[in-house]
Amino acid sequence: MSASSRSPKRAPRAWQRMLSGRRLDLLDPTPLDIEIEDIAHGLAFVARWNGQTRGDWPYSVAEHSLLVDDILCRLGPATAPERLAALLHDAPEYVIGDMISPVKAAVGPGYGKLDDRLQEAIHIRFGLPARTSPPLKRRIKKADRISAWLEAVHIAGFEIHEANRFFGSPDPAAIEGLSLTLRPPAEARAAYLDRHAALLAACDARG
């Protein structure tokens, strides 16, 4: 058979069919294919710490995102758009999953670029700037590290000195009275959707 008569090689599929019916192109995502129901469902079923946590339910990225929003508010005044950005800070993981930091480092910059493209599409879909401002990004990162410290110590088997080394020692005021929630994915999904709806309404009320 001549080279000219061979069938052209089919490009590998780079999209995923979502439960909403949307077809999300992972390499070139558009805001029109982003639905909060897909995000909430996916994050509620993605386990933090590769599932290596204590309890009868996995600690999901949805639960983690709710906690990061709560902690951001403890670190100082936060507007509704800022809180929405915190809630959505790990939203791309609804399709690309949650990789622990050592794996991300091994994968290289490709993971980060994919994450950035998805994050920008998600932000635009919900009326946020495509890219989070550096000051807000630092505040969310601080809340994220405090959340990671709590998770590491309380459910992921870390000793306090280990968590302090990897995530920093948190201000006691930032974690006082906080507890981690482990519950069925359907409940985590509902809580995430409720928080998103409340924050989006608050953003709309701001004009």
Side-chain angles (χ1 to χ4, degrees):
M1 182 184 295
S2 66
S4 60
S5 63
R6 293 177 189 150
S7 299
K9 187 176 181 180
R10 182 177 298 177
R13 179 169 66 91
W15 55 267
Q16 179 175 346
R17 179 75 66 185
M18 313 309 295
L19 287 180
S20 64
R22 297 289 189 184
R23 194 171 85 164
L24 182 65
D25 187 330
L26 302 182
L27 300 181
D28 187 24
T30 69
L32 293 176
D33 290 325
I34 305 292
E35 298 292 349
I36 190 57
E37 291 80 9
D38 293 331
I39 293 173
H41 181 84
L43 296 185
F45 281 87
V46 174
R48 293 268 292 170
W49 306 96
N50 280 346
Q52 298 300 305
T53 51
R54 302 186 183 103
D56 294 329
W57 299 103
Y59 187 75
S60 71
V61 176
E63 300 285 13
H64 165 77
S65 300
L66 291 164
L67 182 59
V68 169
D69 172 37
D70 291 337
I71 294 172
L72 182 73
C73 294
R74 287 173 170 241
L75 297 178
T79 66
E82 289 171 341
R83 292 184 59 193
L84 184 58
L87 183 71
L88 295 170
H89 80 283
D90 277 341
E93 293 178 6
Y94 85 108
V95 284
I96 60 177
D98 177 46
M99 288 188 186
I100 60 175
S101 296
V103 176
K104 288 180 182 178
V107 170
Y111 179 92
K113 291 178 181 178
L114 179 59
D115 185 285
D116 289 344
R117 285 194 293 268
L118 285 164
Q119 191 70 270
E120 289 177 10
I122 290 166
H123 274 204
I124 293 170
R125 171 66 175 83
F126 299 115
L128 296 173
R131 297 187 178 183
T132 305
S133 69
L136 177 57
K137 197 166 187 176
R138 286 192 292 270
R139 289 165 57 201
I140 293 174
K141 185 62 179 177
K142 183 176 181 180
D144 187 42
R145 290 177 69 84
I146 293 172
S147 175
W149 186 95
L150 281 168
E151 296 163 20
V153 169
H154 291 285
I155 59 175
F158 282 58
E159 298 292 339
I160 289 178
H161 69 88
E162 292 179 308
N164 288 346
R165 185 166 75 251
F166 291 115
F167 308 112
S169 179
D171 181 348
I175 61 175
E176 183 180 1
L178 285 177
S179 60
L180 302 184
T181 304
L182 287 88
R183 50 187 164 177
E187 295 181 17
R189 178 180 62 205
Y192 190 94
L193 285 170
D194 287 347
R195 182 76 60 88
H196 180 271
L199 292 175
L200 200 61
C203 290
D204 291 342
R206 284 167 52 94

